[in-house]
PDB file of all heavy atoms in Angstrom:
ATOM      1  N   ASP S   5       2.231 -16.408  -1.738  1.00  0.00           N
ATOM      2  CA  ASP S   5       1.891 -16.298  -0.325  1.00  0.00           C
ATOM      3  C   ASP S   5       2.247 -14.889   0.153  1.00  0.00           C
ATOM      4  O   ASP S   5       2.985 -14.160  -0.522  1.00  0.00           O
ATOM      5  CB  ASP S   5       2.642 -17.361   0.485  1.00  0.00           C
ATOM      6  CG  ASP S   5       4.120 -17.039   0.644  1.00  0.00           C
ATOM      7  OD1 ASP S   5       4.444 -16.198   1.498  1.00  0.00           O
ATOM      8  OD2 ASP S   5       4.942 -17.613  -0.102  1.00  0.00           O
ATOM      9  N   PRO S   6       1.732 -14.472   1.320  1.00  0.00           N
ATOM     10  CA  PRO S   6       1.890 -13.074   1.729  1.00  0.00           C
ATOM     11  C   PRO S   6       3.280 -12.664   2.202  1.00  0.00           C
ATOM     12  O   PRO S   6       3.473 -11.495   2.543  1.00  0.00           O
ATOM     13  CB  PRO S   6       0.857 -12.917   2.847  1.00  0.00           C
ATOM     14  CG  PRO S   6       0.644 -14.296   3.371  1.00  0.00           C
ATOM     15  CD  PRO S   6       0.789 -15.199   2.182  1.00  0.00           C
ATOM     16  N   THR S   7       4.276 -13.574   2.220  1.00  0.00           N
ATOM     17  CA  THR S   7       5.641 -13.100   2.464  1.00  0.00           C
ATOM     18  C   THR S   7       6.186 -12.398   1.221  1.00  0.00           C
ATOM     19  O   THR S   7       7.185 -11.683   1.313  1.00  0.00           O
ATOM     20  CB  THR S   7       6.602 -14.244   2.847  1.00  0.00           C
ATOM     21  OG1 THR S   7       6.761 -15.131   1.736  1.00  0.00           O
ATOM     22  CG2 THR S   7       6.108 -14.992   4.065  1.00  0.00           C
ATOM     23  N   LYS S   8       5.545 -12.624   0.078  1.00  0.00           N
ATOM     24  CA  LYS S   8       5.965 -11.956  -1.154  1.00  0.00           C
ATOM     25  C   LYS S   8       5.441 -10.525  -1.132  1.00  0.00           C
ATOM     26  O   LYS S   8       4.227 -10.295  -1.182  1.00  0.00           O
ATOM     27  CB  LYS S   8       5.441 -12.680  -2.388  1.00  0.00           C
ATOM     28  CG  LYS S   8       6.269 -13.870  -2.851  1.00  0.00           C
ATOM     29  CD  LYS S   8       6.195 -15.054  -1.948  1.00  0.00           C
ATOM     30  CE  LYS S   8       6.816 -16.304  -2.583  1.00  0.00           C
ATOM     31  NZ  LYS S   8       6.842 -17.429  -1.625  1.00  0.00           N
ATOM     32  N   VAL S   9       6.355  -9.548  -1.075  1.00  0.00           N
ATOM     33  CA  VAL S   9       5.923  -8.161  -0.964  1.00  0.00           C
ATOM     34  C   VAL S   9       5.239  -7.655  -2.221  1.00  0.00           C
ATOM     35  O   VAL S   9       4.527  -6.645  -2.176  1.00  0.00           O
ATOM     36  CB  VAL S   9       7.096  -7.236  -0.564  1.00  0.00           C
ATOM     37  CG1 VAL S   9       7.442  -7.415   0.898  1.00  0.00           C
ATOM     38  CG2 VAL S   9       8.309  -7.453  -1.456  1.00  0.00           C
ATOM     39  N   ASP S  10       5.444  -8.332  -3.361  1.00  0.00           N
ATOM     40  CA  ASP S  10       4.647  -7.988  -4.539  1.00  0.00           C
ATOM     41  C   ASP S  10       3.173  -7.926  -4.169  1.00  0.00           C
ATOM     42  O   ASP S  10       2.429  -7.066  -4.656  1.00  0.00           O
ATOM     43  CB  ASP S  10       4.825  -9.039  -5.647  1.00  0.00           C
ATOM     44  CG  ASP S  10       6.055  -8.807  -6.490  1.00  0.00           C
ATOM     45  OD1 ASP S  10       6.603  -7.690  -6.451  1.00  0.00           O
ATOM     46  OD2 ASP S  10       6.467  -9.743  -7.201  1.00  0.00           O
ATOM     47  N   ARG S  11       2.769  -8.856  -3.317  1.00  0.00           N
ATOM     48  CA  ARG S  11       1.371  -8.927  -2.906  1.00  0.00           C
ATOM     49  C   ARG S  11       1.113  -8.121  -1.631  1.00  0.00           C
ATOM     50  O   ARG S  11       0.325  -7.183  -1.622  1.00  0.00           O
ATOM     51  CB  ARG S  11       0.969 -10.390  -2.715  1.00  0.00           C
ATOM     52  CG  ARG S  11      -0.455 -10.584  -2.253  1.00  0.00           C
ATOM     53  CD  ARG S  11      -0.926 -12.030  -2.353  1.00  0.00           C
ATOM     54  NE  ARG S  11      -2.233 -12.091  -2.965  1.00  0.00           N
ATOM     55  CZ  ARG S  11      -2.758 -13.157  -3.553  1.00  0.00           C
ATOM     56  NH1 ARG S  11      -2.064 -14.276  -3.631  1.00  0.00           N
ATOM     57  NH2 ARG S  11      -3.963 -13.104  -4.092  1.00  0.00           N
ATOM     58  N   SER S  12       1.790  -8.497  -0.550  1.00  0.00           N
ATOM     59  CA  SER S  12       1.451  -7.932   0.759  1.00  0.00           C
ATOM     60  C   SER S  12       1.747  -6.439   0.844  1.00  0.00           C
ATOM     61  O   SER S  12       0.959  -5.677   1.430  1.00  0.00           O
ATOM     62  CB  SER S  12       2.182  -8.682   1.869  1.00  0.00           C
ATOM     63  OG  SER S  12       3.574  -8.707   1.640  1.00  0.00           O
ATOM     64  N   ALA S  13       2.849  -5.974   0.275  1.00  0.00           N
ATOM     65  CA  ALA S  13       3.161  -4.547   0.346  1.00  0.00           C
ATOM     66  C   ALA S  13       2.248  -3.735  -0.559  1.00  0.00           C
ATOM     67  O   ALA S  13       1.928  -2.576  -0.251  1.00  0.00           O
ATOM     68  CB  ALA S  13       4.625  -4.306  -0.009  1.00  0.00           C
ATOM     69  N   ALA S  14       1.809  -4.311  -1.672  1.00  0.00           N
ATOM     70  CA  ALA S  14       0.826  -3.621  -2.518  1.00  0.00           C
ATOM     71  C   ALA S  14      -0.498  -3.477  -1.780  1.00  0.00           C
ATOM     72  O   ALA S  14      -1.179  -2.448  -1.876  1.00  0.00           O
ATOM     73  CB  ALA S  14       0.632  -4.368  -3.829  1.00  0.00           C
ATOM     74  N   TYR S  15      -0.872  -4.523  -1.030  1.00  0.00           N
ATOM     75  CA  TYR S  15      -2.086  -4.430  -0.217  1.00  0.00           C
ATOM     76  C   TYR S  15      -1.913  -3.367   0.868  1.00  0.00           C
ATOM     77  O   TYR S  15      -2.840  -2.592   1.145  1.00  0.00           O
ATOM     78  CB  TYR S  15      -2.389  -5.779   0.437  1.00  0.00           C
ATOM     79  CG  TYR S  15      -2.872  -6.868  -0.490  1.00  0.00           C
ATOM     80  CD1 TYR S  15      -3.139  -8.145   0.005  1.00  0.00           C
ATOM     81  CD2 TYR S  15      -3.074  -6.657  -1.848  1.00  0.00           C
ATOM     82  CE1 TYR S  15      -3.593  -9.157  -0.817  1.00  0.00           C
ATOM     83  CE2 TYR S  15      -3.520  -7.664  -2.681  1.00  0.00           C
ATOM     84  CZ  TYR S  15      -3.782  -8.929  -2.163  1.00  0.00           C
ATOM     85  OH  TYR S  15      -4.230  -9.927  -2.980  1.00  0.00           O
ATOM     86  N   ALA S  16      -0.739  -3.334   1.496  1.00  0.00           N
ATOM     87  CA  ALA S  16      -0.492  -2.339   2.543  1.00  0.00           C
ATOM     88  C   ALA S  16      -0.524  -0.926   1.980  1.00  0.00           C
ATOM     89  O   ALA S  16      -1.065  -0.003   2.613  1.00  0.00           O
ATOM     90  CB  ALA S  16       0.853  -2.615   3.210  1.00  0.00           C
ATOM     91  N   ALA S  17       0.043  -0.732   0.801  1.00  0.00           N
ATOM     92  CA  ALA S  17       0.054   0.597   0.193  1.00  0.00           C
ATOM     93  C   ALA S  17      -1.360   1.051  -0.143  1.00  0.00           C
ATOM     94  O   ALA S  17      -1.709   2.224   0.033  1.00  0.00           O
ATOM     95  CB  ALA S  17       0.938   0.588  -1.054  1.00  0.00           C
ATOM     96  N   ARG S  18      -2.205   0.148  -0.626  1.00  0.00           N
ATOM     97  CA  ARG S  18      -3.610   0.484  -0.871  1.00  0.00           C
ATOM     98  C   ARG S  18      -4.306   0.838   0.444  1.00  0.00           C
ATOM     99  O   ARG S  18      -5.056   1.812   0.527  1.00  0.00           O
ATOM    100  CB  ARG S  18      -4.325  -0.691  -1.544  1.00  0.00           C
ATOM    101  CG  ARG S  18      -5.846  -0.695  -1.445  1.00  0.00           C
ATOM    102  CD  ARG S  18      -6.521   0.482  -2.146  1.00  0.00           C
ATOM    103  NE  ARG S  18      -7.983   0.369  -2.032  1.00  0.00           N
ATOM    104  CZ  ARG S  18      -8.850   1.275  -2.441  1.00  0.00           C
ATOM    105  NH1 ARG S  18      -8.423   2.394  -2.989  1.00  0.00           N
ATOM    106  NH2 ARG S  18     -10.149   1.102  -2.299  1.00  0.00           N
ATOM    107  N   TYR S  19      -4.065   0.050   1.465  1.00  0.00           N
ATOM    108  CA  TYR S  19      -4.664   0.281   2.782  1.00  0.00           C
ATOM    109  C   TYR S  19      -4.327   1.683   3.295  1.00  0.00           C
ATOM    110  O   TYR S  19      -5.215   2.432   3.738  1.00  0.00           O
ATOM    111  CB  TYR S  19      -4.139  -0.790   3.730  1.00  0.00           C
ATOM    112  CG  TYR S  19      -4.475  -0.652   5.190  1.00  0.00           C
ATOM    113  CD1 TYR S  19      -5.787  -0.739   5.651  1.00  0.00           C
ATOM    114  CD2 TYR S  19      -3.453  -0.478   6.124  1.00  0.00           C
ATOM    115  CE1 TYR S  19      -6.071  -0.642   7.014  1.00  0.00           C
ATOM    116  CE2 TYR S  19      -3.727  -0.397   7.484  1.00  0.00           C
ATOM    117  CZ  TYR S  19      -5.039  -0.472   7.924  1.00  0.00           C
ATOM    118  OH  TYR S  19      -5.325  -0.387   9.264  1.00  0.00           O
ATOM    119  N   LEU S  20      -3.070   2.058   3.200  1.00  0.00           N
ATOM    120  CA  LEU S  20      -2.660   3.370   3.684  1.00  0.00           C
ATOM    121  C   LEU S  20      -3.243   4.484   2.816  1.00  0.00           C
ATOM    122  O   LEU S  20      -3.757   5.486   3.332  1.00  0.00           O
ATOM    123  CB  LEU S  20      -1.144   3.458   3.721  1.00  0.00           C
ATOM    124  CG  LEU S  20      -0.448   2.528   4.716  1.00  0.00           C
ATOM    125  CD1 LEU S  20       1.067   2.598   4.532  1.00  0.00           C
ATOM    126  CD2 LEU S  20      -0.832   2.859   6.156  1.00  0.00           C
ATOM    127  N   ALA S  21      -3.181   4.321   1.499  1.00  0.00           N
ATOM    128  CA  ALA S  21      -3.708   5.358   0.603  1.00  0.00           C
ATOM    129  C   ALA S  21      -5.210   5.531   0.796  1.00  0.00           C
ATOM    130  O   ALA S  21      -5.724   6.663   0.817  1.00  0.00           O
ATOM    131  CB  ALA S  21      -3.394   4.994  -0.846  1.00  0.00           C
ATOM    132  N   LYS S  22      -5.930   4.422   0.941  1.00  0.00           N
ATOM    133  CA  LYS S  22      -7.379   4.507   1.125  1.00  0.00           C
ATOM    134  C   LYS S  22      -7.716   5.233   2.417  1.00  0.00           C
ATOM    135  O   LYS S  22      -8.654   6.047   2.472  1.00  0.00           O
ATOM    136  CB  LYS S  22      -7.998   3.116   1.117  1.00  0.00           C
ATOM    137  CG  LYS S  22      -9.516   3.138   1.227  1.00  0.00           C
ATOM    138  CD  LYS S  22     -10.127   1.751   1.159  1.00  0.00           C
ATOM    139  CE  LYS S  22     -11.646   1.822   1.208  1.00  0.00           C
ATOM    140  NZ  LYS S  22     -12.283   0.478   1.160  1.00  0.00           N
ATOM    141  N   ASN S  23      -6.971   4.963   3.477  1.00  0.00           N
ATOM    142  CA  ASN S  23      -7.232   5.629   4.748  1.00  0.00           C
ATOM    143  C   ASN S  23      -6.925   7.120   4.684  1.00  0.00           C
ATOM    144  O   ASN S  23      -7.629   7.925   5.302  1.00  0.00           O
ATOM    145  CB  ASN S  23      -6.455   4.948   5.870  1.00  0.00           C
ATOM    146  CG  ASN S  23      -7.200   3.768   6.462  1.00  0.00           C
ATOM    147  OD1 ASN S  23      -7.974   3.923   7.399  1.00  0.00           O
ATOM    148  ND2 ASN S  23      -7.006   2.583   5.894  1.00  0.00           N
ATOM    149  N   VAL S  24      -5.896   7.499   3.945  1.00  0.00           N
ATOM    150  CA  VAL S  24      -5.583   8.917   3.769  1.00  0.00           C
ATOM    151  C   VAL S  24      -6.758   9.643   3.115  1.00  0.00           C
ATOM    152  O   VAL S  24      -7.190  10.714   3.567  1.00  0.00           O
ATOM    153  CB  VAL S  24      -4.300   9.097   2.940  1.00  0.00           C
ATOM    154  CG1 VAL S  24      -4.135  10.554   2.493  1.00  0.00           C
ATOM    155  CG2 VAL S  24      -3.083   8.651   3.742  1.00  0.00           C
ATOM    156  N   VAL S  25      -7.305   9.062   2.048  1.00  0.00           N
ATOM    157  CA  VAL S  25      -8.429   9.690   1.355  1.00  0.00           C
ATOM    158  C   VAL S  25      -9.701   9.625   2.210  1.00  0.00           C
ATOM    159  O   VAL S  25     -10.451  10.604   2.304  1.00  0.00           O
ATOM    160  CB  VAL S  25      -8.645   9.027  -0.020  1.00  0.00           C
ATOM    161  CG1 VAL S  25      -9.906   9.561  -0.698  1.00  0.00           C
ATOM    162  CG2 VAL S  25      -7.429   9.269  -0.916  1.00  0.00           C
ATOM    163  N   ALA S  26      -9.938   8.490   2.846  1.00  0.00           N
ATOM    164  CA  ALA S  26     -11.129   8.348   3.700  1.00  0.00           C
ATOM    165  C   ALA S  26     -11.098   9.339   4.860  1.00  0.00           C
ATOM    166  O   ALA S  26     -12.150   9.792   5.327  1.00  0.00           O
ATOM    167  CB  ALA S  26     -11.228   6.925   4.230  1.00  0.00           C
ATOM    168  N   ALA S  27      -9.903   9.698   5.312  1.00  0.00           N
ATOM    169  CA  ALA S  27      -9.765  10.661   6.405  1.00  0.00           C
ATOM    170  C   ALA S  27      -9.963  12.102   5.944  1.00  0.00           C
ATOM    171  O   ALA S  27      -9.971  13.017   6.767  1.00  0.00           O
ATOM    172  CB  ALA S  27      -8.385  10.513   7.052  1.00  0.00           C
ATOM    173  N   GLY S  28     -10.119  12.294   4.643  1.00  0.00           N
ATOM    174  CA  GLY S  28     -10.327  13.630   4.105  1.00  0.00           C
ATOM    175  C   GLY S  28      -9.052  14.441   3.972  1.00  0.00           C
ATOM    176  O   GLY S  28      -9.106  15.657   3.785  1.00  0.00           O
ATOM    177  N   LEU S  29      -7.896  13.774   4.021  1.00  0.00           N
ATOM    178  CA  LEU S  29      -6.626  14.488   3.922  1.00  0.00           C
ATOM    179  C   LEU S  29      -6.221  14.769   2.479  1.00  0.00           C
ATOM    180  O   LEU S  29      -5.288  15.536   2.236  1.00  0.00           O
ATOM    181  CB  LEU S  29      -5.517  13.691   4.623  1.00  0.00           C
ATOM    182  CG  LEU S  29      -5.733  13.413   6.112  1.00  0.00           C
ATOM    183  CD1 LEU S  29      -4.510  12.719   6.699  1.00  0.00           C
ATOM    184  CD2 LEU S  29      -6.052  14.687   6.871  1.00  0.00           C
ATOM    185  N   ALA S  30      -6.907  14.124   1.518  1.00  0.00           N
ATOM    186  CA  ALA S  30      -6.632  14.352   0.103  1.00  0.00           C
ATOM    187  C   ALA S  30      -7.779  13.764  -0.714  1.00  0.00           C
ATOM    188  O   ALA S  30      -8.498  12.880  -0.243  1.00  0.00           O
ATOM    189  CB  ALA S  30      -5.305  13.717  -0.313  1.00  0.00           C
ATOM    190  N   ASP S  31      -7.933  14.264  -1.940  1.00  0.00           N
ATOM    191  CA  ASP S  31      -8.907  13.688  -2.862  1.00  0.00           C
ATOM    192  C   ASP S  31      -8.326  12.472  -3.581  1.00  0.00           C
ATOM    193  O   ASP S  31      -9.061  11.563  -3.958  1.00  0.00           O
ATOM    194  CB  ASP S  31      -9.340  14.717  -3.908  1.00  0.00           C
ATOM    195  CG  ASP S  31     -10.068  15.900  -3.293  1.00  0.00           C
ATOM    196  OD1 ASP S  31     -10.648  15.742  -2.192  1.00  0.00           O
ATOM    197  OD2 ASP S  31     -10.044  16.990  -3.897  1.00  0.00           O
ATOM    198  N   ARG S  32      -7.006  12.491  -3.769  1.00  0.00           N
ATOM    199  CA  ARG S  32      -6.304  11.387  -4.415  1.00  0.00           C
ATOM    200  C   ARG S  32      -4.999  11.151  -3.675  1.00  0.00           C
ATOM    201  O   ARG S  32      -4.386  12.099  -3.167  1.00  0.00           O
ATOM    202  CB  ARG S  32      -6.007  11.683  -5.888  1.00  0.00           C
ATOM    203  CG  ARG S  32      -7.212  11.869  -6.777  1.00  0.00           C
ATOM    204  CD  ARG S  32      -6.810  12.431  -8.134  1.00  0.00           C
ATOM    205  NE  ARG S  32      -5.868  11.561  -8.819  1.00  0.00           N
ATOM    206  CZ  ARG S  32      -4.963  11.984  -9.702  1.00  0.00           C
ATOM    207  NH1 ARG S  32      -4.845  13.267  -9.991  1.00  0.00           N
ATOM    208  NH2 ARG S  32      -4.150  11.125 -10.286  1.00  0.00           N
ATOM    209  N   CYS S  33      -4.579   9.900  -3.628  1.00  0.00           N
ATOM    210  CA  CYS S  33      -3.328   9.578  -2.938  1.00  0.00           C
ATOM    211  C   CYS S  33      -2.659   8.391  -3.604  1.00  0.00           C
ATOM    212  O   CYS S  33      -3.299   7.349  -3.806  1.00  0.00           O
ATOM    213  CB  CYS S  33      -3.598   9.264  -1.465  1.00  0.00           C
ATOM    214  SG  CYS S  33      -2.125   8.773  -0.526  1.00  0.00           S
ATOM    215  N   THR S  34      -1.394   8.553  -3.939  1.00  0.00           N
ATOM    216  CA  THR S  34      -0.571   7.453  -4.438  1.00  0.00           C
ATOM    217  C   THR S  34       0.591   7.248  -3.472  1.00  0.00           C
ATOM    218  O   THR S  34       1.255   8.217  -3.081  1.00  0.00           O
ATOM    219  CB  THR S  34      -0.008   7.754  -5.837  1.00  0.00           C
ATOM    220  OG1 THR S  34      -1.087   7.944  -6.742  1.00  0.00           O
ATOM    221  CG2 THR S  34       0.862   6.599  -6.335  1.00  0.00           C
ATOM    222  N   ILE S  35       0.823   5.990  -3.093  1.00  0.00           N
ATOM    223  CA  ILE S  35       1.928   5.651  -2.190  1.00  0.00           C
ATOM    224  C   ILE S  35       2.812   4.611  -2.859  1.00  0.00           C
ATOM    225  O   ILE S  35       2.311   3.621  -3.400  1.00  0.00           O
ATOM    226  CB  ILE S  35       1.401   5.113  -0.851  1.00  0.00           C
ATOM    227  CG1 ILE S  35       0.650   6.220  -0.101  1.00  0.00           C
ATOM    228  CG2 ILE S  35       2.541   4.565   0.011  1.00  0.00           C
ATOM    229  CD1 ILE S  35      -0.006   5.766   1.178  1.00  0.00           C
ATOM    230  N   GLN S  36       4.123   4.846  -2.834  1.00  0.00           N
ATOM    231  CA  GLN S  36       5.088   3.863  -3.317  1.00  0.00           C
ATOM    232  C   GLN S  36       5.915   3.346  -2.146  1.00  0.00           C
ATOM    233  O   GLN S  36       6.397   4.123  -1.316  1.00  0.00           O
ATOM    234  CB  GLN S  36       6.040   4.462  -4.351  1.00  0.00           C
ATOM    235  CG  GLN S  36       7.009   3.436  -4.941  1.00  0.00           C
ATOM    236  CD  GLN S  36       8.253   4.061  -5.552  1.00  0.00           C
ATOM    237  OE1 GLN S  36       8.988   4.789  -4.894  1.00  0.00           O
ATOM    238  NE2 GLN S  36       8.480   3.774  -6.829  1.00  0.00           N
ATOM    239  N   LEU S  37       6.067   2.011  -2.089  1.00  0.00           N
ATOM    240  CA  LEU S  37       6.979   1.356  -1.159  1.00  0.00           C
ATOM    241  C   LEU S  37       8.006   0.588  -1.975  1.00  0.00           C
ATOM    242  O   LEU S  37       7.709   0.123  -3.081  1.00  0.00           O
ATOM    243  CB  LEU S  37       6.226   0.384  -0.242  1.00  0.00           C
ATOM    244  CG  LEU S  37       5.094   0.959   0.618  1.00  0.00           C
ATOM    245  CD1 LEU S  37       4.354  -0.170   1.332  1.00  0.00           C
ATOM    246  CD2 LEU S  37       5.631   1.962   1.616  1.00  0.00           C
ATOM    247  N   SER S  38       9.222   0.441  -1.434  1.00  0.00           N
ATOM    248  CA  SER S  38      10.227  -0.378  -2.124  1.00  0.00           C
ATOM    249  C   SER S  38      10.940  -1.267  -1.115  1.00  0.00           C
ATOM    250  O   SER S  38      11.048  -0.927   0.067  1.00  0.00           O
ATOM    251  CB  SER S  38      11.240   0.505  -2.866  1.00  0.00           C
ATOM    252  OG  SER S  38      12.085   1.184  -1.959  1.00  0.00           O
ATOM    253  N   TYR S  39      11.435  -2.423  -1.610  1.00  0.00           N
ATOM    254  CA  TYR S  39      12.050  -3.421  -0.739  1.00  0.00           C
ATOM    255  C   TYR S  39      13.263  -4.044  -1.412  1.00  0.00           C
ATOM    256  O   TYR S  39      13.388  -4.038  -2.642  1.00  0.00           O
ATOM    257  CB  TYR S  39      11.047  -4.529  -0.387  1.00  0.00           C
ATOM    258  CG  TYR S  39       9.926  -4.044   0.500  1.00  0.00           C
ATOM    259  CD1 TYR S  39       8.796  -3.454  -0.052  1.00  0.00           C
ATOM    260  CD2 TYR S  39      10.007  -4.143   1.887  1.00  0.00           C
ATOM    261  CE1 TYR S  39       7.776  -2.975   0.754  1.00  0.00           C
ATOM    262  CE2 TYR S  39       8.983  -3.674   2.702  1.00  0.00           C
ATOM    263  CZ  TYR S  39       7.878  -3.090   2.126  1.00  0.00           C
ATOM    264  OH  TYR S  39       6.874  -2.611   2.935  1.00  0.00           O
ATOM    265  N   ALA S  40      14.144  -4.618  -0.574  1.00  0.00           N
ATOM    266  CA  ALA S  40      15.281  -5.419  -1.029  1.00  0.00           C
ATOM    267  C   ALA S  40      15.091  -6.845  -0.519  1.00  0.00           C
ATOM    268  O   ALA S  40      14.636  -7.045   0.619  1.00  0.00           O
ATOM    269  CB  ALA S  40      16.597  -4.847  -0.505  1.00  0.00           C
ATOM    270  N   ILE S  41      15.419  -7.837  -1.325  1.00  0.00           N
ATOM    271  CA  ILE S  41      15.242  -9.226  -0.923  1.00  0.00           C
ATOM    272  C   ILE S  41      16.051  -9.525   0.339  1.00  0.00           C
ATOM    273  O   ILE S  41      17.213  -9.148   0.472  1.00  0.00           O
ATOM    274  CB  ILE S  41      15.612 -10.202  -2.061  1.00  0.00           C
ATOM    275  CG1 ILE S  41      15.228 -11.642  -1.683  1.00  0.00           C
ATOM    276  CG2 ILE S  41      17.074 -10.096  -2.444  1.00  0.00           C
ATOM    277  CD1 ILE S  41      15.312 -12.625  -2.836  1.00  0.00           C
ATOM    278  N   GLY S  42      15.395 -10.171   1.282  1.00  0.00           N
ATOM    279  CA  GLY S  42      16.048 -10.565   2.520  1.00  0.00           C
ATOM    280  C   GLY S  42      16.137  -9.472   3.567  1.00  0.00           C
ATOM    281  O   GLY S  42      16.606  -9.720   4.678  1.00  0.00           O
TER     282      GLY S  42
END
């Protein structure tokens, strides 16, 4: 389910990276997020 950041944060990181490239701010973009349980 989407409370699991394995899923939801990976989707968010793709969303942000895609928007960076779509905005013309870079040709390629990699974003890393990290979390602690709780």
Side-chain angles (χ1 to χ4, degrees):
D5 74 79
T7 66
K8 277 71 169 175
V9 286
D10 277 343
R11 179 168 227 159
S12 54
Y15 289 178
R18 160 64 178 175
Y19 172 65
L20 295 173
K22 183 178 183 181
N23 274 271
V24 168
V25 174
L29 300 185
D31 296 335
R32 297 168 59 208
C33 177
T34 299
I35 294 175
Q36 184 201 57
L37 302 173
S38 71
Y39 292 85
I41 188 169

